[in-house]
Amino acid sequence: MRLSVIGCGYLGAVHAAAMTELGHDVVGVDVDPAKVAALAEGRAPFHEPGLPELLERGVASGRLRFTTDVAEAAEARVHFLAVGTPQRPDGDGADLRFVDAAVEAIAPHLAPGSLLVGKSTVPVGTAARIAARLAEVAPDASLAWNPEFLREGLAVRDTLEPDRIVYGVPDPTDVRVESDVALLDEVYATPLATGTPRLVADYATAELVKVAANSFLATKISFINAMAEIAEATGADVTLLADAIGLDARIGRKFLNAGIGFGGGCLPKDIRAFAARAEELGVGVAVEFLRDIDAINLRRRERATSIVAEALGDRLAGAKIAVLGVAFKPDSDDIRDSPALDVSLRLRELGARVVATDPAAIPNARQRYPELEYADDADDAIRDAEAIVLVTEWAQYRALDPGRTSALASGRLIVDGRNVLDPVAWRAAGWTYRGMGRP
Ligand code: UGA
């Protein structure tokens, strides 16, 4: 099927490449000429495992194109809207400028019978508002909302083999939506054939599925981080606590990793936008707890910083501190709302000489925070450092060898902001090991 994808960031670029992989003919549209040029050459403009291979294959097949000209999307039957919905600069709500601009841009090119499919994460009520706008400017096209659940670092697999597929339509009980549902079923024929659950909902439910899922995940992380605070006051070990409660199948061990908390372009802004939207709707009290979830999360960044400050005392000023990781999570070069960078900046403010490193995210970090010092690899960062702070659990940092590290560093303090190192091994090698919520 001929598809278009409007917006080629993390979500759109992966979606476009994955839809080509599923056999469709796809044109990706973006306003950024540099991004389009890279994608058109089959190059991924950001770090995402598996994406370069998909892009190369897609572009070489002739079924995947990228353009800045939205008119080139006109022949598509289904148009995916995949633009960003960042936090508003002036508040907690979502900034819908890019969504609205994309709708206005594509509307004149929507052929009769075509389907516009929103994938962006939006405040509940947005789809109904866009549908009303389409009724004015493109009355022969229809709108569905099909939220995306991909995780950065696993985006390709999450798109090709999703846990579930959700279609939001104006009214799931109305026979008039059947043709749109059939069209989407054709798009997702491959994952549907393997038994992927597919749910058809009204617009509001579909929009809420996404923010509710992200709110739940954020709550799970902040719950265990709140337990880490209790563990710190009692000498308990939060990692063992997570293992033990996680063995209850109703709770589950996933997303119970205590540390410096969640960041990225999704969870933090989504819980804030959800709380703000609920307030607008007069039901703010229902998700007031999300403010606490946010606050617990931000406290952990402060805590990691204070652990270093307390341990080094008046040796902190001017001390070289190796910070391992700047990306908000491993296997990504995304630094949006990165807890790792936040900790680096806080330590620098306290007078430390922070030298940060990361296998993928240094170019992004250097551009955004030129005031920080960066090292190309962990060895360079660690050499002669007073302390090491592990803040993004890349595989190579998890595998750090205490013996080898001892030969490089001058100090013997390691702060494990992600609770991924073995305290016994580090202590045996003469290190002061400090985890998050671990004795
Ligand atoms: C998140 C959701 O997991 C996806 O399902 C969703 O589609 C996506 O947002 C989105 O809205 O687009 P992502 O932001 O890529 O995906 O990253 P996650 O894997 O959820 O991790 C988010 C943050 O939580 C990271 O900073 C990670 O280090 C942290 N985290 C995760 C923890 O601190 N502890 C954990 O146990 C798990």
Side-chain angles (χ1 to χ4, degrees):
M1 195 187 304
R2 296 187 84 144
L3 311 177
S4 88
V5 178
I6 318 291
C8 293
Y10 284 94
L11 167 57
V14 174
H15 193 66
M19 291 305 107
T20 312
E21 192 73 7
L22 294 183
H24 303 297
D25 192 312
V26 184
V27 58
V29 185
D30 200 284
V31 292
D32 179 350
K35 201 180 281 177
V36 164
L39 289 166
E41 287 172 16
R43 278 189 294 118
F46 48 85
H47 179 89
E48 184 60 49
L51 181 61
E53 293 82 348
L54 234 63
L55 282 172
E56 259 171 49
R57 234 186 349 258
V59 169
S61 75
R63 285 186 292 104
L64 177 59
R65 294 180 298 121
F66 293 93
T67 176
T68 53
D69 182 6
V70 69
E72 289 186 39
E75 283 172 29
R77 190 91 192 276
V78 174
H79 304 265
F80 289 98
L81 206 58
V83 295
T85 52
Q87 186 172 333
R88 293 170 63 103
D90 59 347
D92 279 352
D95 187 345
L96 294 174
R97 268 180 302 175
F98 306 109
V99 170
D100 290 333
V103 170
E104 295 305 321
I106 190 67
H109 306 288
L110 293 174
S114 61
L115 180 63
L116 181 62
V117 183
K119 291 204 77 68
S120 310
T121 301
V122 291
V124 56
T126 305
R129 181 172 65 73
I130 294 174
R133 176 67 184 146
L134 279 192
E136 290 168 13
V137 291
D140 297 321
S142 44
L143 176 77
W145 215 267
N146 169 222
E148 180 55 60
F149 306 104
L150 64 79
R151 292 160 292 177
E152 285 179 27
L154 295 166
V156 169
R157 204 191 72 197
D158 285 347
T159 308
L160 291 173
E161 298 162 36
D163 290 337
R164 74 291 207 192
I165 300 175
V166 177
Y167 306 158
V169 296
D171 176 358
T173 62
D174 186 336
V175 288
R176 282 174 297 179
V177 305
E178 277 173 12
S179 56
D180 292 341
V181 168
L183 209 52
L184 281 169
D185 281 351
E186 213 179 312
V187 171
Y188 294 119
T190 309
L192 289 174
T194 60
T196 307
R198 176 270 248 166
L199 294 93
V200 182
D202 53 89
Y203 285 148
T205 305
E207 291 165 320
L208 281 171
V209 170
K210 176 58 192 266
V211 285
N214 275 1
S215 298
F216 194 86
L217 293 171
T219 301
K220 229 181 149 181
I221 299 169
S222 276
F223 176 83
I224 202 64
N225 280 330
M227 294 306 107
E229 292 189 356
I230 306 290
E232 278 157 13
T234 54
D237 184 339
V238 77
T239 56
L240 270 173
L241 177 71
D243 290 344
I245 64 171
L247 284 168
D248 182 331
R250 294 169 303 172
I251 297 173
R253 182 62 178 83
K254 288 178 184 164
F255 271 68
L256 280 185
N257 294 320
I260 56 166
F262 58 82
C266 303
L267 301 191
K269 64 112 175 147
D270 285 355
I271 60 170
R272 288 172 201 149
F274 192 16
R277 181 67 183 135
E279 270 158 30
E280 276 171 21
L281 292 166
V283 286
V285 68
V287 288
E288 222 167 41
F289 70 92
L290 290 177
R291 304 281 185 200
D292 283 334
I293 298 306
D294 201 2
I296 294 166
N297 191 53
L298 297 177
R299 279 208 296 275
R300 298 319 283 166
R301 304 176 181 190
E302 239 171 71
R303 180 66 191 138
T305 314
S306 69
I307 289 175
V308 182
E310 282 161 21
L312 291 183
D314 49 17
R315 283 183 297 137
L316 179 69
K320 176 177 176 182
I321 298 183
V323 174
L324 305 184
V326 299
F328 85 105
K329 69 178 211 182
D331 296 318
S332 169
D333 64 357
D334 195 344
I335 58 159
R336 285 176 296 172
D337 205 343
S338 168
L341 267 171
D342 205 353
V343 170
S344 293
L345 293 165
R346 284 166 195 261
L347 287 170
R348 187 174 178 275
E349 256 167 43
L350 295 177
R353 185 187 149 216
V354 172
V355 179
T357 187
D358 190 284
I362 292 176
N364 286 342
R366 185 173 270 137
Q367 199 179 359
R368 178 80 178 75
Y369 300 104
E371 67 271 33
L372 284 175
E373 201 175 322
Y374 300 97
D376 287 337
D377 59 35
D379 281 6
D380 276 352
I382 292 169
R383 194 165 291 116
D384 302 324
E386 273 297 315
I388 303 173
V389 186
L390 189 161
V391 275
T392 312
E393 69 279 30
W394 286 90
Q396 52 265 63
Y397 305 154
R398 284 171 175 265
L400 214 61
D401 175 58
R404 201 173 160 270
T405 310
S406 300
L408 288 169
S410 61
R412 289 290 178 270
L413 171 67
I414 180 131
V415 177
D416 181 4
R418 295 292 183 178
N419 289 344
V420 290
L421 301 174
D422 176 7
V424 176
W426 283 85
R427 287 183 182 134
W431 286 75
T432 299
Y433 170 94
R434 298 293 306 270
M436 303 289 296
R438 297 177 109 175

